[in-house]
Amino acid sequence: DAFDITYIANAEAWPLAAWYSSKQGPGLSNQATPSIATTRKGATLIVSPDGLTVYLAKPGTDAIYSMAYHKGISDTPYFPTVFRMIVASMILP
């Protein structure tokens, strides 16, 4: 299993829900209204339908971060709690 964090430029400075709804591709869906939450550190987040990708943004900034959980050889994620802990403790610049 592995985690990866990717920076995504949001030049239009769209709110996270608007940015999310405008995208298509693996883990993203513009068909459903996203469920939006806030981390303990004040970042806005959206979880992909499969629960393996999280999109985070700090309100008022032009950056979005994608955190993805990549399963290893098994279809079962072995470290979901660690993934959730990393997401919850992210501090965005």
Side-chain angles (χ1 to χ4, degrees):
D1 290 14
F3 307 126
D4 92 38
I5 301 172
T6 304
Y7 167 83
I8 302 167
N10 180 14
E12 297 85 8
W14 286 5
L16 186 59
W19 173 87
Y20 180 90
S21 295
S22 73
K23 301 298 175 187
Q24 299 231 2
L28 294 172
S29 170
N30 64 359
Q31 302 299 315
T33 302
S35 173
I36 301 171
T38 304
T39 68
R40 294 181 293 170
K41 305 294 182 177
T44 303
L45 69 87
I46 293 176
V47 179
S48 67
D50 65 5
L52 299 177
T53 305
V54 175
Y55 303 92
L56 297 119
K58 185 175 181 181
T61 65
D62 61 354
I64 293 173
Y65 295 86
S66 165
M67 292 187 62
Y69 187 117
H70 301 284
K71 297 180 281 188
I73 59 174
S74 170
D75 279 341
T76 303
Y78 286 111
F79 304 103
T81 303
V82 173
F83 182 67
R84 288 190 300 271
M85 287 173 54
I86 293 169
V87 169
S89 64
M90 282 288 294
I91 299 174
L92 303 180

